[in-house]
Amino acid sequence: MQRDKALAIVEKQLKKPRYEHTIRVMDTSIKLAKQYGADEKKAELAAIFHDYAKYRPLEEMKRWIIAEQLPKDLLDYHHELWHGPVGALMVKREVGISDPEVLHSISVHTTGCVGMSVLDKVVFLADYIEPGRAFPGVDEVRKVSEKDLDKACWMASRNTINMLVSLNRKVYPDTFHAYNDLLNSTG
Ligand code: DGI
Ligand code: FE
Ligand code: FE
Ligand code: FE
């Protein structure tokens, strides 16, 4: 699918600041894909659609989780975690994106997972470091992202876990799995 068409589809699903975030994630993903040898068109497409489901009603997302082949334990965790897995399925059904690598990157963009592909890492990291983000420690991750994809992803994952723990929030198992697995590949 052409970029303009994809952007027009996603723009209708999002509020303006979220659409602008999407454009920045797209630019950052393409840059990281070039640098680390992921498919640039796949990175572009996954980034454009990564937050597709972000503003869907919670009840609707819940229905998809119950009715479809999605991990049911998502329902025991914060609804912020639902828009990735549900979004990937919606993008497949409603938009007709069928590339499993692109859909997987959309699915895991919030938590990460074990055995992330280079494309998964590119989208996950781009979402974290896009120029509009101001998380504590993000500048350090941006710097590392120029040299070491795994380490930068691990740092993003670590910072997110630290933030969640400091706020007494639940941490989804895949978030920990990503952290542990990335730490292994960082050496
Ligand atoms: O959709 P975005 O805002 O662009 O970014 P995202 O999909 O990475 O979502 C980030 C939010 O998800 C951020 O507030 C942290 C939260 N998050 C990530 N992992 C977990 C989590 N929240 C909970 N409760 N548990 C997690 O494991
Ligand atoms: Fe997201
Ligand atoms: Fe993220
Ligand atoms: Fe995002």
Side-chain angles (χ1 to χ4, degrees), residues 18 21 50-51 54 80 83-84 109-110 127 133:
R18 178 63 43 180
H21 157 74
H50 83 282
D51 277 339
K54 189 87 177 176
E80 185 66 32
H83 73 282
H109 85 268
T110 303
D127 188 36
R133 296 292 207 187

Side-chain angles (χ1 to χ4, degrees), residues 4-59:
D4 290 352
K5 188 179 170 203
L7 284 174
I9 291 169
V10 91
E11 190 174 13
K12 293 199 192 80
Q13 297 287 327
L14 303 178
K15 297 178 187 168
K16 192 151 183 275
R18 178 63 43 180
Y19 179 67
E20 288 165 357
H21 157 74
T22 295
I23 304 276
R24 293 190 298 268
V25 175
M26 177 185 77
D27 292 339
T28 307
S29 291
I30 293 169
K31 193 172 125 198
L32 289 170
K34 279 197 176 106
Q35 192 178 344
Y36 292 108
D39 185 303
E40 288 172 41
K41 292 308 288 180
K42 292 188 189 206
E44 179 182 85
L45 203 58
I48 290 173
F49 287 108
H50 83 282
D51 277 339
Y52 179 84
K54 189 87 177 176
Y55 296 111
R56 290 302 185 95
L58 294 183
E59 282 308 314

Side-chain angles (χ1 to χ4, degrees), residues 153-179:
C153 286
W154 171 74
M155 288 168 76
S157 164
R158 178 203 61 188
N159 291 355
T160 297
I161 291 171
N162 278 335
M163 178 277 291
L164 291 167
V165 170
S166 76
L167 296 172
N168 300 330
R169 300 240 182 99
K170 280 202 228 176
V171 181
Y172 191 64
D174 277 353
T175 303
F176 281 126
H177 292 320
Y179 168 90

Side-chain angles (χ1 to χ4, degrees), residues 89-108:
L89 205 52
M90 287 178 166
V91 161
K92 185 177 179 181
R93 300 270 176 81
E94 297 176 4
V95 186
I97 306 278
S98 57
D99 188 312
E101 294 173 31
V102 170
L103 295 173
H104 189 262
S105 295
I106 296 170
S107 182
V108 303

